[in-house]
C-alpha cells in the first residue's frame, strides 16, 4: 500500500478527529490498546519472535507511510510502548490484558460520544469489505492518530492560554434596524425618569417590543459574532431569555447601585467553571457619544452607538463605563442579551452554569433595584455593600482570578492525600506552559488575563523554591551570591523593558517594541532568562536543598531553555541583529515595520528585544 493510500486514509481519518479533546483521548486510549496487544503477544511467543514482529511492523511502516518524520515519530512511540509492555508482562494475567484492551476500545467510543464526532469506523462497517478495511485501520491506527494530532483544528496549547473572549458586531440590515427602532419607540413612549436607570425585563414585554427584542436576540449578525469565536461544530450557543432586559442609563449616579457601572467590575461570580461561558451582550439601540464601555484586561473599549454590539464573559471579563466630555442629546438605550456557550460534550455542566447565572442575575437584579434610590440607614448600608463587594471581586479577578485560586486550592487539597510533593509538582511549571503556549499561538489573547495568570503561578513557583530553600537552610555564600546576582540581573532586565514588554506585550500586539541598548542588554545576551537560570542554580548549589529536591531546579531550567529556544527559532528579527551600532539601527527598522502592522492582527506583531541586546 503506497503513500497515496495512506494519505487518502489519513485525510478521511482527520475529518472524524478535529476536536482537540477527542485527539487527546485517542492519544491515551490507542497506546492502551497497543500495550495490551503487545503484552498478549510477548506472553505467547519467544523473545526473538516478539522482537521480529515489532521490527517487521516498524519497517513495513517505513515503506507504506513514505514520510520520514511520521515514521520516526511512530517508531519512537512504538519503542516506548514496547518498554511499557515489557514492564507489565511479568505481572499481567490474560484477564488483565483483556480488560486493558476493552477499556481502550470503550474509551475510544466514549471519546467520540462526548465530543460529538462520528467514529471513522462508522464510515465502512456497513460495507462488504469491512474486515479488510478494519484491518487496514488497525494497522495504521498509531500513525493515523499522530497525523491527526498534527492536523487537528485547534492546538492543545489553546487549553492553557488566556483567550480574548470579547466579541463585537454591528446591526446594519433593514430588519435589524427596524427592530431597534421598535425598542426605541417603546422606551420613548414610556418616558422613564432620567435621574436613575430604568429596566424592562424581556419576559415581561409583550407585543411589538417583545417581537423586536426576540428578533435581535437571535439575528444572524449576533449569532455569527459567536460562531466566528466558537466553533459551531464543538460549542452549543443558547440564549438565556430570563436574563435579558432593556436598560436605560441614568444621567448621573450618586453612591447608589448605579455607581457599580462606573466601577471596574465583573457581573457574575461563576468564573470557576471551566470551558463554559455566560455572555452578556450590550446592544446600543440609539446614538451614544458620551458613555464608553471599556475592558481593562483586554485593553479595548469605546462608545457603543446605534447598532453596535459588544459581548463579553459575564463571569470573568472586567469592564467599566465612563463618561466622555461630549453629551448625549437623548437617553442611552441598550439591550442586554445573554447566552450560555459551552462545549457540546459538557452539556450538563454548561446548562448548570446557565442556570446558576440566571439565579444570581435574578437575585442581583432585586438588590440593585432596591438600592438605586436607597432609603434610610439600611438602604444606604445595602448600597454600600453592593459597591464594596463589587470592588473586592474585581480585585480578586484582576490580580489572581477566582479560577486560579480554586485550582491551586484544589491541587493543595489533593496533594495532602496523594503525596507531599504533589502540590509543588503540579504548580511549579504552569507559567512556563502558559509562556510557551501563548508565544506559540499569539492570536486573540487577552493580555491582562495572560499577565495575571503567569504572575500568579510564577509567584507560587518562586514561593516553593524559597520555602524549601529556607526549610533546608545551610550557610553557603556561593549559593547566596548566585541568587543575588541572578535575580538581580533578571530584575534589571525587567526594569529596562517594562512589565508589559516582559510579558509579551510586543508579541501580542498591545504595544510598540522598545529596543533596549543599555544595561543589562549591552552586557549579557538573554539577560532575563540567563539571570533567572543563574538564580535557580543558586538554589540548586546549596547541598541540602539539592539533596532534598534533586529534580526541581533542573526541571525549571529545562522549561526555561525550551522557551528560550522557542523564542530564538521564532525570532523574526534574527537577520537584523548586527554587530555594534548597526544592530540597534536595523532592529529599530524592523520594529517600525511591526508597529505599522494592523492592530487587528496581533499574530503578526511578533517579538521585540526581550532576550537580545539591540
Amino acid at each position: 500500500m503506497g503513500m497515496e493510500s495512506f494519505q487518502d486514509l489519513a485525510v478521511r481519518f482527520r475529518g472524524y478527529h478535529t476536536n482537540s479533546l477527542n485527539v487527546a483521548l485517542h492519544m491515551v486510549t490507542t497506546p492502551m490498546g497497543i500495550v495490551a496487544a503487545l503484552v498478549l503477544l510477548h506472553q505467547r511467543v519467544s523473545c526473538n519472535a516478539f522482537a521480529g514482529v515489532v521490527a517487521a511492523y516498524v519497517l513495513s511502516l517505513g515503506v507504506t507511510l513514505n514520510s520520514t518524520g511520521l515514521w520516526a515519530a511512530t517508531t519512537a512511540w512504538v519503542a516506548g510502548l514496547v518498554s511499557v509492555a515489557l514492564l507489565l508482562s511479568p505481572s499481567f494475567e490474560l484477564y488483565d490484558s483483556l480488560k486493558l484492551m476493552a477499556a481502550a476500545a470503550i474509551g475510544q467510543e466514549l471519546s467520540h460520544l462526548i465530543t460529538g464526532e462520528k467514529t471513522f469506523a462508522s464510515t465502512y462497517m456497513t460495507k462488504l469489505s469491512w474486515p479488510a478495511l478494519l484491518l487496514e485501520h488497525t494497522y495504521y491506527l498509531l500513525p493515523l492518530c499522530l497525523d491527526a494530532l498534527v492536523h487537528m483544528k485547534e492546538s492543545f496549547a489553546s487549553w492553557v492560554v488566556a483567550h480574548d473572549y470579547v466579541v463585537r458586531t454591528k446591526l446594519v440590515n433593514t430588519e435589524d434596524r427596524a427592530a431597534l427602532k421598535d425598542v426605541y419607540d417603546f422606551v420613548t413612549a414610556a418616558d422613564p425618569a432620567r435621574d436613575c436607570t430604568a429596566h424592562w425585563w424581556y419576559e415581561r414585554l409583550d407585543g411589538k417590543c417583545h417581537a423586536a427584542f426576540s428578533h435581535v436576540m437571535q439575528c444572524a449578525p449576533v449569532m455569527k459574532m459567536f460562531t466566528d469565536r466558537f466553533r459551531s461544530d464543538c460549542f452549543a450557543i443558547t440564549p438565556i431569555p430570563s436574563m435579558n432586559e432593556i436598560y436605560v442609563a441614568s444621567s448621573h449616579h450618586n453612591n447608589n447601585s448605579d455607581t457599580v457601572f462606573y466601577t471596574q467590575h465583573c457581573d457574575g461570580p461563576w468564573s470557576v467553571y471551566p470551558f463554559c461561558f455566560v455572555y452578556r451582550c450590550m446592544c446600543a439601540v440609539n446614538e451614544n457619544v458620551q458613555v464608553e464601555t471599556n475592558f481593562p484586561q483586554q485593553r479595548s473599549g469605546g462608545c457603543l452607538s446605534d447598532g453596535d454590539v459588544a459581548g463579553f464573559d459575564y463571569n470573568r471579563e472586567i469592564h467599566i463605563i465612563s463618561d466622555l466630555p461630549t453629551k448625549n442629546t437623548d437617553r442611552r438605550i441598550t439591550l442586554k442579551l445573554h447566552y450560555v456557550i459551552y462545549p457540546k460534550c459538557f452539556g450538563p455542566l454548561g446548562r448548570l452554569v446557565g442556570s446558576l447565572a440566571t439565579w444570581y442575575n435574578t437575585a442581583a437584579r432585586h438588590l440593585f433595584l432596591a438600592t438605586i434610590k436607597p432609603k434610610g440607614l439600611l438602604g444606604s448600608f445595602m448600597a454600600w455593600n453592593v459597591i464594596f463587594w463589587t470592588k473586592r471581586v474585581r480585585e480578586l479577578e484582576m490580580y489572581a482570578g477566582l479560577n486560579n485560586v480554586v485550582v491551586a486550592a484544589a491541587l493543595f487539597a489533593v496533594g495532602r492525600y496523594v503525596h507531599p510533593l504533589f502540590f509543588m509538582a503540579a504548580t511549579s511549571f504552569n507559567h512556563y506552559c502558559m509562556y510557551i503556549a501563548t508565544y506559540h499561538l499569539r492570536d486573540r489573547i487577552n493580555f491582562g488575563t495572560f499577565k495575571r495568570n503567569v504572575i500568579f503561578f510564577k509567584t507560587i513557583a518562586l514561593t516553593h523554591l524559597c520555602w524549601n530553600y529556607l526549610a533546608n537552610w545551610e550557610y553557603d555564600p556561593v549559593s547566596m551570591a548566585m541568587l543575588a546576582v541572578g535575580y538581580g540581573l533578571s530584575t534589571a532586565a525587567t526594569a529596562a523593558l517594562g512589565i508589559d514588554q516582559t510579558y509579551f506585550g510586543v508579541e501580542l500586539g498591545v504595544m510598540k517594541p522598545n529596543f533596549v541598548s543599555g544595561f543589562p542588554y549591552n552586557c549579557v545576551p538573554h539577560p532575563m532568562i540567563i539571570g533567572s537560570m543563574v538564580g535557580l542554580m543558586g538554589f540548586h548549589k546549596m547541598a541540602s536543598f539539592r539533596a532534598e529536591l534533586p529534580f526541581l531546579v533542573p526541571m525549571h531550567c529545562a522549561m526555561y531553555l525550551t522557551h528560550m529556544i522557542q523564542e530564538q527559532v521564532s525570532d523574526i528579527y534574527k537577520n537584523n541583529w548586527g554587530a555594534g551600532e548597526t544592530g540597534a539601527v536595523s532592529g529599530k527598522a524592523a520594529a517600525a515595520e511591526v508597529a505599522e502592522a494592523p492592530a487587528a492582527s496581533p499574530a503578526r506583531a511578533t517579538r521585540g528585544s526581550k532576550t537580545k541586546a539591540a
Side-chain angles (χ1 to χ4, degrees):
M1 196 172 295
M3 167 186 164
E4 288 187 0
S5 177
F6 173 77
Q7 290 288 35
D8 291 342
L9 187 66
V11 169
R12 289 191 288 118
F13 187 84
R14 292 172 203 160
Y16 298 87
H17 301 82
T18 64
N19 187 298
S20 58
L21 177 60
N22 190 16
V23 175
L25 292 173
H26 271 65
M27 296 309 299
V28 175
T29 57
T30 299
M32 283 172 56
I34 293 174
V35 166
L38 288 171
V39 169
L40 287 172
L41 178 65
H42 183 260
Q43 291 175 339
R44 281 154 182 78
V45 300
S46 67
C47 290
N48 288 336
F50 176 80
V53 170
V54 173
Y57 173 70
V58 170
L59 291 174
S60 68
L61 287 178
V63 177
T64 56
L65 295 182
N66 201 17
S67 169
T68 303
L70 183 58
W71 178 79
T74 304
T75 301
W77 270 84
V78 169
L81 297 177
V82 167
S83 300
V84 173
L86 293 177
L87 288 173
L88 296 178
S89 183
S91 60
F92 258 43
E93 302 291 340
L94 173 62
Y95 185 56
D96 296 322
S97 297
L98 294 177
K99 283 195 298 183
L100 185 61
M101 190 170 290
I106 294 171
Q108 291 214 352
E109 293 298 319
L110 287 175
S111 69
H112 283 278
L113 180 64
I114 65 177
T115 57
E117 292 192 310
K118 292 182 179 179
T119 64
F120 180 61
S122 68
T123 64
Y124 61 74
M125 290 305 290
T126 57
K127 297 180 180 179
L128 292 177
S129 59
W130 72 264
L133 295 173
L134 177 62
L135 183 62
E136 179 187 56
H137 182 182
T138 304
Y139 171 75
Y140 281 126
L141 185 56
L142 183 57
L144 283 172
C145 288
L146 294 174
D147 176 82
L149 181 66
V150 174
H151 290 94
M152 62 185 178
K153 290 182 179 179
E154 195 169 67
S155 167
F156 293 144
S158 66
W159 292 9
V160 296
V161 303
H163 293 283
D164 174 10
Y165 286 117
V166 176
V167 293
R168 293 178 174 84
T169 191
K170 189 174 182 68
L171 307 187
V172 295
N173 67 46
T174 304
E175 294 81 3
D176 299 339
R177 302 291 298 175
L180 295 180
K181 180 64 165 57
D182 289 341
V183 173
Y184 176 81
D185 290 343
F186 170 83
V187 174
T188 302
D191 193 23
R194 294 175 181 261
D195 60 348
C196 66
T197 57
H199 307 259
W200 286 271
W201 320 123
Y202 167 78
E203 293 186 326
R204 297 181 185 178
L205 297 172
D206 54 23
K208 197 174 182 180
C209 187
H210 185 275
F213 203 133
S214 299
H215 172 87
V216 174
M217 181 170 60
Q218 302 192 62
C219 67
V222 170
M223 301 314 295
K224 184 178 185 300
M225 174 180 74
F226 287 124
T227 55
D228 285 346
R229 190 64 187 83
F230 298 94
R231 287 173 53 188
S232 58
D233 59 327
C234 295
F235 285 86
I237 303 169
T238 307
I240 311 178
S242 56
M243 292 178 65
N244 292 349
E245 65 177 276
I246 301 173
Y247 165 74
V248 182
S250 64
S251 57
H252 64 275
H253 59 95
N254 184 26
N255 203 34
N256 54 25
S257 58
D258 280 355
T259 307
V260 166
F261 303 123
Y262 288 84
T263 305
Q264 289 190 13
H265 65 285
C266 292
D267 288 322
W270 309 115
S271 61
V272 68
Y273 294 96
F275 309 116
C276 300
F277 309 87
V278 172
Y279 261 81
R280 167 165 282 174
C281 298
M282 307 296 291
C283 174
V285 172
N286 60 339
E287 184 182 42
N288 165 45
V289 295
Q290 176 180 339
V291 182
E292 285 189 312
T293 302
N294 297 309
F295 304 97
Q297 294 284 76
Q298 196 241 6
R299 298 196 173 193
S300 72
C303 291
L304 298 176
S305 177
D306 201 22
D308 289 330
V309 182
F312 54 91
D313 192 325
Y314 178 82
N315 295 306
R316 299 181 180 91
E317 193 71 47
I318 297 173
H319 55 285
I320 183 175
I321 64 173
S322 58
D323 288 338
L324 295 174
T326 54
K327 298 298 180 182
N328 287 332
T329 58
D330 199 353
R331 297 177 178 87
R332 173 177 171 256
I333 305 172
T334 306
L335 296 181
K336 290 186 178 181
L337 311 167
H338 299 85
Y339 305 82
V340 59
I341 301 176
Y342 53 88
K344 293 177 180 178
C345 55
F346 293 164
L349 178 61
R351 289 186 288 272
L352 171 64
V353 173
S355 298
L356 289 172
T358 301
W359 169 81
Y360 174 80
N361 187 70
T362 302
R365 174 188 297 170
H366 293 312
L367 180 60
F368 276 112
L369 290 177
T371 55
I372 287 178
K373 291 184 177 181
K375 297 179 181 179
L377 186 60
L378 179 61
S380 298
F381 176 71
M382 294 297 291
W384 176 86
N385 267 279
V386 168
I387 298 168
F388 176 82
W389 289 111
T390 295
K391 292 179 178 179
R392 302 294 83 77
V393 171
R394 172 261 175 192
E395 290 165 358
L396 174 63
E397 285 297 327
M398 177 69 79
Y399 300 114
L402 178 60
N403 53 339
N404 290 335
V405 173
V406 171
V407 166
L411 291 172
F412 177 79
V414 170
R416 299 194 66 179
Y417 296 96
V418 174
H419 192 278
L421 299 181
F422 175 85
F423 178 59
M424 182 177 67
T427 56
S428 286
F429 312 107
N430 305 54
H431 59 295
Y432 299 117
C433 296
M434 292 175 185
Y435 290 149
I436 293 167
T438 301
Y439 194 91
H440 169 67
L441 291 179
R442 282 181 286 178
D443 179 43
R444 294 188 292 184
I445 305 297
N446 186 310
F447 179 66
T449 303
F450 160 73
K451 193 166 62 170
R452 178 201 71 187
N453 291 348
V454 294
I455 291 175
F456 178 84
F457 282 104
K458 184 173 183 178
T459 300
I460 293 178
L462 289 173
T463 301
H464 286 309
L465 288 164
C466 294
W467 178 270
N468 284 283
Y469 188 78
L470 294 175
N472 297 282
W473 168 259
E474 62 180 28
Y475 182 69
D476 186 335
V478 175
S479 168
M480 295 166 63
M482 291 175 70
L483 286 170
V485 171
Y487 285 111
L489 182 64
S490 180
T491 301
T494 301
L497 285 174
I499 194 71
D500 284 351
Q501 188 161 323
T502 295
Y503 288 101
F504 299 162
V506 174
E507 292 85 339
L508 300 180
V510 301
M511 63 181 295
K512 294 182 179 180
N514 170 31
F515 281 81
V516 179
S517 58
F519 180 81
Y521 286 90
N522 59 350
C523 301
V524 181
H526 305 285
M528 193 174 299
I529 291 179
I530 288 177
S532 295
M533 291 182 69
V534 169
L536 286 166
M537 295 308 296
F539 286 110
H540 201 62
K541 167 64 178 65
M542 194 169 72
S544 54
F545 179 95
R546 187 169 64 251
E548 184 70 19
L549 298 168
F551 302 109
L552 181 58
V553 168
M555 277 297 298
H556 275 284
C557 290
M559 296 297 286
Y560 257 128
L561 281 170
T562 299
H563 178 48
M564 185 170 70
I565 292 170
Q566 178 193 32
E567 283 198 330
Q568 192 71 24
V569 169
S570 301
D571 186 0
I572 67 168
Y573 300 143
K574 60 186 176 183
N575 296 323
N576 295 314
W577 301 108
E581 295 180 359
T582 58
V585 174
S586 58
K588 288 178 182 177
E593 292 181 13
V594 175
E596 292 298 321
S601 304
R604 295 178 59 188
T606 50
R607 66 185 303 279
S609 173
K610 183 151 90 78
T611 57
K612 290 202 171 192

mmCIF file of all heavy atoms in Angstrom, residues 81 104 199 221 295 340 387 502 507 530:
data_model
loop_
_atom_site.group_PDB
_atom_site.id
_atom_site.type_symbol
_atom_site.label_atom_id
_atom_site.label_comp_id
_atom_site.label_asym_id
_atom_site.label_seq_id
_atom_site.Cartn_x
_atom_site.Cartn_y
_atom_site.Cartn_z
ATOM 1 N N LEU A 81 6.109 2.156 23.873
ATOM 2 C CA LEU A 81 5.026 1.234 24.234
ATOM 3 C C LEU A 81 5.549 -0.179 24.456
ATOM 4 O O LEU A 81 5.052 -0.913 25.320
ATOM 5 C CB LEU A 81 3.959 1.250 23.134
ATOM 6 C CG LEU A 81 3.253 2.592 22.923
ATOM 7 C CD1 LEU A 81 2.273 2.513 21.765
ATOM 8 C CD2 LEU A 81 2.533 3.020 24.196
ATOM 9 N N ALA A 104 -9.581 0.345 26.427
ATOM 10 C CA ALA A 104 -9.119 1.175 25.321
ATOM 11 C C ALA A 104 -10.209 1.316 24.256
ATOM 12 O O ALA A 104 -10.470 2.416 23.748
ATOM 13 C CB ALA A 104 -7.855 0.582 24.712
ATOM 14 N N HIS A 199 -35.307 49.799 33.753
ATOM 15 C CA HIS A 199 -35.150 48.416 33.302
ATOM 16 C C HIS A 199 -36.515 47.851 32.902
ATOM 17 O O HIS A 199 -37.500 48.019 33.623
ATOM 18 C CB HIS A 199 -34.567 47.541 34.421
ATOM 19 C CG HIS A 199 -33.302 48.075 35.019
ATOM 20 N ND1 HIS A 199 -32.058 47.594 34.691
ATOM 21 C CD2 HIS A 199 -33.097 49.063 35.938
ATOM 22 C CE1 HIS A 199 -31.131 48.260 35.379
ATOM 23 N NE2 HIS A 199 -31.740 49.155 36.138
ATOM 24 N N PRO A 221 -26.379 38.469 12.524
ATOM 25 C CA PRO A 221 -25.085 39.061 12.889
ATOM 26 C C PRO A 221 -24.639 38.690 14.309
ATOM 27 O O PRO A 221 -23.446 38.473 14.545
ATOM 28 C CB PRO A 221 -25.338 40.571 12.763
ATOM 29 C CG PRO A 221 -26.476 40.692 11.815
ATOM 30 C CD PRO A 221 -27.346 39.506 12.082
ATOM 31 N N PHE A 295 -12.865 47.627 28.521
ATOM 32 C CA PHE A 295 -12.442 46.330 29.035
ATOM 33 C C PHE A 295 -10.959 46.424 29.402
ATOM 34 O O PHE A 295 -10.092 46.260 28.526
ATOM 35 C CB PHE A 295 -12.682 45.239 27.995
ATOM 36 C CG PHE A 295 -14.124 45.160 27.530
ATOM 37 C CD1 PHE A 295 -14.523 45.793 26.361
ATOM 38 C CD2 PHE A 295 -15.067 44.486 28.280
ATOM 39 C CE1 PHE A 295 -15.835 45.738 25.936
ATOM 40 C CE2 PHE A 295 -16.392 44.419 27.868
ATOM 41 C CZ PHE A 295 -16.777 45.051 26.698
ATOM 42 N N VAL A 340 -25.607 31.294 26.989
ATOM 43 C CA VAL A 340 -24.676 30.351 27.599
ATOM 44 C C VAL A 340 -24.028 29.570 26.460
ATOM 45 O O VAL A 340 -24.696 29.087 25.543
ATOM 46 C CB VAL A 340 -25.369 29.409 28.609
ATOM 47 C CG1 VAL A 340 -26.482 28.599 27.973
ATOM 48 C CG2 VAL A 340 -24.335 28.481 29.256
ATOM 49 N N ILE A 387 -21.413 48.229 46.405
ATOM 50 C CA ILE A 387 -20.204 48.862 45.868
ATOM 51 C C ILE A 387 -18.947 48.206 46.444
ATOM 52 O O ILE A 387 -17.980 47.912 45.733
ATOM 53 C CB ILE A 387 -20.219 50.369 46.163
ATOM 54 C CG1 ILE A 387 -21.429 51.026 45.480
ATOM 55 C CG2 ILE A 387 -18.923 51.024 45.707
ATOM 56 C CD1 ILE A 387 -21.689 52.447 45.936
ATOM 57 N N THR A 502 7.949 42.725 28.995
ATOM 58 C CA THR A 502 8.471 41.496 29.571
ATOM 59 C C THR A 502 7.502 40.342 29.338
ATOM 60 O O THR A 502 7.900 39.221 29.029
ATOM 61 C CB THR A 502 8.711 41.666 31.083
ATOM 62 O OG1 THR A 502 9.730 42.642 31.281
ATOM 63 C CG2 THR A 502 9.138 40.351 31.727
ATOM 64 N N GLU A 507 4.826 40.975 21.371
ATOM 65 C CA GLU A 507 4.443 39.772 20.637
ATOM 66 C C GLU A 507 2.939 39.673 20.448
ATOM 67 O O GLU A 507 2.459 39.149 19.437
ATOM 68 C CB GLU A 507 4.943 38.519 21.376
ATOM 69 C CG GLU A 507 6.449 38.342 21.399
ATOM 70 C CD GLU A 507 7.132 39.088 22.529
ATOM 71 O OE1 GLU A 507 6.538 40.050 23.057
ATOM 72 O OE2 GLU A 507 8.241 38.707 22.906
ATOM 73 N N ILE A 530 18.800 34.151 31.366
ATOM 74 C CA ILE A 530 20.067 33.722 31.956
ATOM 75 C C ILE A 530 20.134 34.118 33.433
ATOM 76 O O ILE A 530 20.574 33.333 34.282
ATOM 77 C CB ILE A 530 21.252 34.318 31.172
ATOM 78 C CG1 ILE A 530 21.359 33.624 29.813
ATOM 79 C CG2 ILE A 530 22.558 34.176 31.956
ATOM 80 C CD1 ILE A 530 22.445 34.158 28.917
#
